[in-house]
Amino acid sequence: MRPTVQDVARHAGVSLATVDRVLNQRPGVREKTIAKVEAAIAALGYIRDVSAANLAKGLAYRFAFVIPEGSNSFMRGLEAEIEAVKQHSAAERTEISIYKIPPFDGPALAAALDSLDPKRYSGVAVVATEAVAVRDALARLRRNNVPVVTLVSDVPAFQSDAYVGIDNVAAGRTAARLMGKFLGGRPGKIALVAGSMLVRDHVERRMGFEQIIRSDYAHVHCLPVIEGKDDSRIVQEYLSECLRTNTDVVGVYNMGAGNRGLIEVLSADAQKERVVIAHELTEHTRRALNAGILDAIIHQDAGHEVRSALRILKAKIEKTPLLAGQETIRIEIYLNENLS
């Protein structure tokens, strides 16, 4: 049985009202009595059920998720996971709002964050860019004691309460290792595709990828990054031109979205044997992996990220501990052989 406040009161030799004052940090309790209650809490291993306490007080949490709009399949999957959590949030007295802004648009993202009333929102989770205006808007929320979690892509220049997402440098290094092994010593060039070099996750994936290629696979080298804005049409146009100009491309690594454009280009050029690695398992990339157009997919669990962001925000508000390892978002690798 979990210890209760009644157990704490008996162990400390005080009243329930005194324990309640100590737990809620209200005045009127002597330091000696506070020490007795805290000692009883430690001895019994009492963990306060803050959600139940908030329910009794009629308190509710309001969280905002700020994510990119558009056709990015992973982001639409992330939005679907947020909506799924919303279906159950009312029972926990939690209200979740979703704000969608144009992708890679720093001013629009900053404006959306500035529009959030710190008195209304208990916490914010955001897929951020590294624009100065965005950092300033995030800092304003923090100054107003609103916990902030960066989601999918971090902003190291801003000290958020937590980053929830995969280690993107490690993801890029993983992609490079797969690329090098699959090429098997074949020389040539590697085409790199990203959404934008203004988002940290794509910058870090490129960094990790090029580290491994330069150090361990000197027989291939990376071309300048194609910035496709996670737009399939732009990716299709720019990648087609890249492959026409560079006939010795032996590998393609897409570190962002826009995979439908990539798949169109490679499907039309099927006679060329290239190793192709992309991110995120979606309806389109799954079919391409099955068809042999893609060789590997590096994936992250969007549902885990959404649930983790909410757990972290609540823990920050309630000042409760988190389970070690529960919030780690792991890099998943899919090949045709392990698709379920």
Side-chain angles (χ1 to χ4, degrees):
M1 295 288 290
R2 292 177 57 184
T4 65
V5 286
Q6 289 87 351
D7 297 324
V8 173
R10 281 195 296 271
H11 195 279
V14 299
S15 68
L16 283 173
T18 298
V19 173
D20 182 70
R21 288 193 189 94
V22 174
L23 290 173
N24 290 287
Q25 300 179 338
R26 288 198 291 267
V29 185
R30 292 179 298 172
E31 289 296 327
K32 182 179 178 180
T33 305
I34 293 173
K36 287 171 63 178
V37 172
E38 289 177 344
I41 289 171
L44 295 172
Y46 171 76
I47 298 175
R48 189 183 184 202
D49 188 342
V50 182
S51 296
N54 287 344
L55 182 61
K57 296 173 187 175
L59 298 179
Y61 292 132
R62 294 186 178 92
F63 296 118
F65 279 78
V66 187
I67 63 175
E69 64 185 8
S71 60
N72 183 325
S73 297
F74 175 75
M75 290 302 169
R76 300 290 64 79
L78 187 74
E79 182 181 1
E81 294 291 350
I82 300 169
E83 291 287 358
V85 171
K86 282 179 66 174
Q87 302 303 314
H88 306 284
S89 61
E92 300 176 3
R93 297 192 65 79
T94 299
E95 179 184 312
I96 297 172
S97 300
I98 302 173
Y99 295 86
K100 292 187 286 186
I101 51 91
F104 313 119
D105 189 332
L109 176 56
L113 293 169
D114 280 332
S115 72
L116 300 177
D117 184 354
K119 294 180 180 178
R120 172 176 171 78
Y121 287 100
S122 312
V124 175
V126 56
V127 179
T129 64
E130 289 201 276
V132 173
V134 172
R135 296 201 299 267
D136 290 344
L138 293 171
R140 179 189 70 89
L141 290 169
R142 286 293 304 278
R143 285 196 302 272
N144 284 279
N145 300 314
V146 178
V148 175
V149 165
T150 51
L151 193 61
V152 180
S153 184
D154 199 9
V155 184
F158 166 72
Q159 190 173 359
S160 64
D161 289 280
Y163 161 64
V164 180
I166 59 173
D167 180 335
N168 285 295
V169 174
R173 290 170 67 89
T174 301
R177 184 66 68 197
L178 291 170
M179 180 71 71
K181 293 290 188 182
F182 288 170
L183 283 173
R186 186 152 48 106
K189 298 173 183 174
I190 299 173
L192 301 179
V193 182
S196 169
M197 290 293 98
L198 294 176
V199 289
R200 191 70 183 185
D201 54 338
H202 295 187
V203 170
E204 290 181 344
R205 290 172 191 177
R206 177 191 182 185
M207 185 189 312
F209 188 88
E210 292 190 339
Q211 282 174 355
I212 294 296
I213 294 297
R214 284 196 302 267
S215 65
D216 295 358
Y217 302 101
H219 54 282
V220 293
H221 75 270
C222 298
L223 292 170
V225 174
I226 296 168
E227 294 189 63
K229 305 299 181 185
D230 284 352
D231 185 304
S232 298
R233 290 169 298 178
I234 296 174
V235 169
Q236 184 173 356
E237 177 186 347
Y238 288 3
L239 182 58
S240 293
E241 178 60 29
C242 174
L243 297 182
R244 279 195 297 269
T245 306
N246 300 276
T247 57
D248 56 346
V249 169
V250 294
V252 180
Y253 173 41
N254 184 11
M255 60 197 81
N259 281 313
R260 277 168 281 183
L262 178 143
I263 292 165
E264 285 290 331
V265 172
L266 298 175
S267 297
D269 196 21
Q271 73 274 15
K272 292 281 189 179
E273 188 177 342
R274 300 188 182 97
V275 175
V276 186
I277 298 171
H279 277 258
E280 316 312 347
L281 185 65
T282 66
E283 172 191 351
H284 307 286
T285 57
R286 178 186 288 272
R287 285 203 300 264
L289 194 58
N290 269 321
I293 299 168
L294 301 182
D295 294 282
I297 296 170
I298 296 174
H299 183 67
Q300 56 190 313
D301 187 334
H304 187 181
E305 289 173 335
V306 170
R307 295 186 296 273
S308 180
L310 287 171
R311 283 193 297 266
I312 291 171
L313 289 172
K314 287 182 178 180
K316 292 292 180 182
I317 297 164
E318 298 170 354
K319 296 181 174 59
T320 54
L322 292 162
L323 291 176
Q326 185 179 24
E327 313 313 332
T328 301
I329 310 300
R330 290 175 172 79
I331 296 169
E332 302 173 15
I333 301 172
Y334 286 93
L335 309 176
N336 189 33
E337 287 73 18
N338 70 339
L339 281 179
S340 57

